[in-house]
Amino acid sequence: MASSSNQRPRANRPEGKPPGVKLMVQPGKSSLLSRMAVWLLIAGTSILAGSLVVSGVRLIVDPYSENWLKTTFPALGPTDAAPVQSLQAIRDELQGEGLTLGTAVRWPVDNDRTDWIFPVLKRPSSCGLGETACATTVALRIYRPETGPAGEDLFKLINTINVQGPEESFVTAPLLGTASQVASVDRPAAISQLTLFETPYSERSWLMLEGQQKFGTTNIRYGQIFSYNPRSARVTTVLSWTSPTHKAPYFKDLDGTGKPEVVVDQTVGLEPRLQGYTFIDNQPPQLREISLFTSVYAEPPATSVYEKSLQLARSGVWSHALQMMETARETLGQDWTPAAESQLNLIAAHAQVAHDQTERNWSSRRQQTLAYLIDGQWERALADLEEKPISYQRMLDQFKTDFSRLWRRVQAHLEIHPTDEAAQVWGALLVTARQNPEAAEDWLKEQRRSKSAQERFDELLIMAKGGPSVLENLALGDETDPAADVELVANIPARYRRLLGEVQRVADPGPGWQRLGDAEPELIGDQAWYQVRIQMVGDERGWLPANSADLSGMGQNALPLLGLQTFSQLQLIAWNTDAQAAPTSVTVQGARLEGGQLVLLASGGAIANFDQSGIPALALSPNALQWLALGTPLPQFVQTQSSWNTALSSATSGPLGPYYTYLKASTLDVTGDSIPELLLRLDPSELPADLAARFASSRWPRTIILAATGETLYNDFDRSQSVVSLLPNSPASPVSLLIHDGPGYRLQRL
C-alpha cells in the first residue's frame, strides 16, 4: 500500500494575490472539453506561469498559488524551497527519528534527470538480532541530485511515499489446505529490499520491494511491484505477490499477442499453482489476473469442451484439461480469442509442472504415486500400486491427509468420464481411507462401474489384508499363529535403523514369536520380560509413525528390516514417581503382530516399581534421542547472550514474569535452518508452592522454544503435555519433538 505526501513547504505569496488557477473560455466552447484540453496541456508541459491558449481556452497560471497542480504534480512545481542535503546529512536526520536510509535505486534518465529512490527502513523494537535484521520499509523517498558549490553531490527531496508490506495472511495464503498450513495474523510482513524490476513493456521499468520469511518449515518470498511516474514523482502499486517456491515474478507470453504476461509461482509441494496477469497499458499501468473460474466469452461457446476444460482445470486435472482446451481451440476456430489463448497457456504451464513431477526419480513410492494422481494419470498410478502392494496401508494413511485434493480430482474426472475404470478404483480407495471398505463398496455401486473395476478393488483389499508380497516372496500375514514359533527365513538389509516404542512388563510372553536365532527365548538370572509396541521408526530421511511405515506389512521381515538381526540391543527408559528416568539395557529376542501392530519381545534387568509412575516406559535404539538439559539459569544467560534480550522481553513478560529466575535457557538449531533457537525450560519441582500450583496437572518440565525474531515456536506452559526429548532427523532439517501427551507419546515438528 502506498500513499504520497508532498514534503515541500509553501512558497510565499505576494500580498493581495488570490489563490487558484484562472481559466477564460471562449463563448460557444464546451466547458468540459476546455478543461480536458487544459489538463492535457498541463500534463504535457513544464510551463508554470503565463498565459496559454489552446482551442480557444486561455489558461492563466498563478506560480504562487498552493493549488491542485502542485499537489498532483510535485515534480513540476518550484523545488527551491526543498532542502538540499548530503547523503550523510539525510542519514543523520533519519537516524534521529529511529530510521535508516536503505540502498537507492537510480531511475533511468528522463529529460536529463536521474531520480534516486531510497527505501526508508524501520527496525521494530521486538527484534533481537543485528542492526539491519528484521528491518522493514516504511516509506520511499525520492531525491533529485544536484551539484553543490564545491562540486559535492547534494540531493533535493522531491516526494515521500508511505508504504507497508502485504498482510501476513496474504503471504501465507498459498499454504492454506496443505500440510504446510500455518497460523498467521493480519499484520504487515516486513519488506526491505528495493530493486529495479525490468519489464518488456516498451522499455518500461518497475520498482519491486520484497522480503522473505520462514513460516513453519516453508521459506516464502513475497513483495510488491510499483510503477513510477518521474513527471509526478509518484509510485502506484501494480501487484502484491507471494511465492512459497521462493521465485520472483517472471514474464511469459500466454495470449500470443506479443506482450508477455506476468506469472507468479505459488506451487506448494507437488501441487502446481501458477497465477497469470495480463498487462494493461493504462496510466498508471495495471495487471489483470487471468481467471480459470469464468468463461472469457459473453455467451457460452457452441461447444461444451471449453467449459469442461475449465472444470477440470479448477479441480487440478491439468494434463487432461489441456487436451480438452486444445480441442476447444480447434472447434471454435475463428471465434478463439487471445483471452481464451491465455487460459490455455496458463493451463499448459500447470500441466508441464505436473507432468515433470511424474518423470522425476522419486525416492519415495508414495510421492511417485501422488505425482501420478495429481497429474490425473489414474491407470499408471493404479498399476504401480498393484505391482507393489506392500506399501498399501501406508498409502491409505497418507490418503487421509491428501483426501480433499485427490477427491476433487477424481470427482471432476468421473463427471466427464463416468466409466473410467482406474478413476473409479481410486475413488473407492479414497473412500476406504476416509471411512472403510464397506462405504467404498457402497460408493462403487452408485457408479457406472465395470466388472473389472470391482475386481481390481477387491484384489487390492485382499492384498492389504495379507496377500503375496513382492519383497522376497514372503507372506505378509494378518496375525502370527500363536500356536507355534516362527523362524527368521530371510536376510534382508535394514530399512529403519531407529525405533521407539512403549513398553509393558509381562510375566509370560507365550508362544508365536519370530525368533532371531535358533535358541528359544529365555531369561538369565533376575531378568524380566518386556513387550515393546513400536510407535515410531526412523530412516535416513527422518522419523515417522509406525503405522505410516507399514510395519504390519513386513511380516516375517520385521526384525531384519528394523536392523535388529545384527544389533538387538535397545535402551529401556522407565520413569519413577518424580518423573526421573531410570534407564536399563534390554535385548530383543523376537517379534510378532498383534492386532496389526508390531510387538517386540525383549529381556533385561528387572526394574523396581516399574509402572508406579503411571507414565509408559520407552524402548529406543541407542543414540536415537537427544535429551534436553535444563540449561543455564536465565538471569546468567542474558548477561552473556544479550542479543536475545528483545526476544525474551515479550516471552517473559506478563504471566511468565514470576518464573523469570527459575527458567533455564539454552540454544539449539531445532528448525534445520542453521540459525539457533532459544529453549526455555522450567522444572516445576524447583518452584515454591504458590508458583508450582500452576503446573499441578503434570510433574514434567515445561518448555518454550523461541525463534531469533521472538516468535514463539512451541509453548506447553499451560498444557498438560511436555517435551520428553528431541528426535533428530536428517542433517539440515527440522528435528521432531517427542511429546508426552495424556496416556502416551506423539511426534511434533516445528
Side-chain angles (χ1 to χ4, degrees), residues 481-608:
D481 183 1
D485 290 342
V486 182
E487 294 184 359
L488 187 64
V489 295
N491 186 4
I492 300 172
R495 180 188 303 174
Y496 303 103
R497 296 186 177 276
R498 295 178 292 173
L499 64 86
L500 185 147
E502 294 185 10
V503 183
Q504 292 178 322
R505 183 170 173 174
V506 294
D508 182 7
W513 296 93
Q514 173 191 334
R515 300 194 305 269
L516 275 176
D518 296 331
E520 292 289 335
E522 62 178 356
L523 298 178
I524 301 175
D526 60 353
Q527 287 185 333
W529 289 116
Y530 300 98
Q531 289 187 8
V532 181
R533 296 185 177 274
I534 304 299
Q535 304 294 315
M536 304 158 199
V537 294
D539 57 14
E540 69 280 356
R541 293 165 296 175
W543 287 88
L544 67 160
N547 55 1
S548 298
D550 192 20
L551 297 187
S552 63
M554 293 180 180
Q556 298 180 37
N557 301 309
L559 291 176
L561 285 172
L562 289 171
L564 296 173
Q565 185 180 6
T566 56
F567 192 84
S568 58
Q569 296 296 116
L570 296 178
Q571 186 179 27
L572 190 153
I573 305 292
W575 314 99
N576 60 29
T577 54
D578 294 326
Q580 301 298 315
T584 189
S585 178
V586 297
T587 302
V588 177
Q589 300 208 29
R592 72 182 180 194
L593 293 176
E594 294 182 4
Q597 184 179 28
L598 182 63
V599 181
L600 303 179
L601 176 64
S603 61
I607 299 177

Side-chain angles (χ1 to χ4, degrees), residues 78-90:
T79 58
D80 293 339
V84 180
Q85 301 170 285
S86 66
L87 280 182
Q88 188 58 50
I90 296 172

Side-chain angles (χ1 to χ4, degrees), residues 55-69:
S55 299
V57 181
R58 181 176 298 276
L59 168 67
I60 301 175
V61 182
D62 180 358
Y64 300 102
S65 63
E66 282 285 329
N67 52 43
W68 60 269
L69 174 62

Side-chain angles (χ1 to χ4, degrees), residues 67-69 139 144 163 189 272 336 343 430 477 617 663 722 730 733:
N67 52 43
W68 60 269
L69 174 62
R144 195 155 291 159
V163 299
W336 190 253
Q343 287 181 322
L430 288 171
L663 288 168
S722 180
S730 55
S733 65

Side-chain angles (χ1 to χ4, degrees), residues 399-702:
F399 288 161
K400 295 176 184 177
T401 303
D402 297 319
F403 178 86
S404 296
R405 58 173 171 167
L406 295 180
W407 182 248
R408 73 170 184 265
R409 285 176 163 89
V410 170
Q411 282 189 310
H413 182 83
L414 289 177
E415 284 182 15
I416 298 173
H417 302 286
T419 60
D420 188 295
E421 175 183 306
Q424 288 179 359
V425 176
W426 278 111
L429 290 173
L430 288 171
V431 174
T432 302
R434 174 58 69 90
Q435 300 182 52
N436 51 59
E438 291 73 24
E441 292 282 0
D442 293 340
W443 179 84
L444 263 181
K445 292 176 182 178
E446 298 173 358
Q447 311 305 309
R448 293 166 57 184
R449 71 189 189 283
S450 65
K451 181 179 179 181
S452 177
Q454 183 70 56
E455 290 175 349
R456 295 176 77 175
F457 175 65
D458 291 340
E459 288 175 1
L460 283 171
L461 290 183
I462 293 172
M463 290 178 179
K465 293 179 180 179
S469 167
V470 297
L471 182 57
E472 301 293 330
N473 294 318
L474 298 177
L476 294 178
D478 189 30
E479 295 287 340
T480 302
D481 183 1
D485 290 342
V486 182
E487 294 184 359
L488 187 64
V489 295
N491 186 4
I492 300 172
R495 180 188 303 174
Y496 303 103
R497 296 186 177 276
R498 295 178 292 173
L499 64 86
L500 185 147
E502 294 185 10
V503 183
Q504 292 178 322
R505 183 170 173 174
V506 294
D508 182 7
W513 296 93
Q514 173 191 334
R515 300 194 305 269
L516 275 176
D518 296 331
E520 292 289 335
E522 62 178 356
L523 298 178
I524 301 175
D526 60 353
Q527 287 185 333
W529 289 116
Y530 300 98
Q531 289 187 8
V532 181
R533 296 185 177 274
I534 304 299
Q535 304 294 315
M536 304 158 199
V537 294
D539 57 14
E540 69 280 356
R541 293 165 296 175
W543 287 88
L544 67 160
N547 55 1
S548 298
D550 192 20
L551 297 187
S552 63
M554 293 180 180
Q556 298 180 37
N557 301 309
L559 291 176
L561 285 172
L562 289 171
L564 296 173
Q565 185 180 6
T566 56
F567 192 84
S568 58
Q569 296 296 116
L570 296 178
Q571 186 179 27
L572 190 153
I573 305 292
W575 314 99
N576 60 29
T577 54
D578 294 326
Q580 301 298 315
T584 189
S585 178
V586 297
T587 302
V588 177
Q589 300 208 29
R592 72 182 180 194
L593 293 176
E594 294 182 4
Q597 184 179 28
L598 182 63
V599 181
L600 303 179
L601 176 64
S603 61
I607 299 177
N609 304 319
F610 175 78
D611 54 1
Q612 288 189 0
S613 68
I615 303 170
L618 289 175
L620 52 127
S621 304
N623 302 319
L625 302 184
Q626 182 173 348
W627 298 103
L628 290 176
L630 284 177
T632 305
L634 188 55
Q636 300 177 20
F637 177 86
V638 297
Q639 293 179 2
T640 58
Q641 302 283 342
S642 58
S643 60
W644 287 96
N645 284 351
T646 305
L648 283 166
S649 62
S650 58
T652 56
S653 61
L656 294 184
Y659 303 94
Y660 183 86
T661 57
Y662 300 96
L663 288 168
K664 306 292 178 62
S666 60
T667 57
L668 183 69
D669 177 19
V670 296
T671 58
D673 59 359
S674 300
I675 300 176
E677 281 71 40
L678 180 64
L679 279 67
L680 298 177
R681 301 270 282 172
L682 181 70
D683 187 350
S685 65
E686 298 179 353
L687 298 175
D690 57 330
L691 295 180
R694 178 180 181 181
F695 308 105
S697 61
S698 173
R699 300 180 300 274
W700 289 76
R702 295 302 204 266

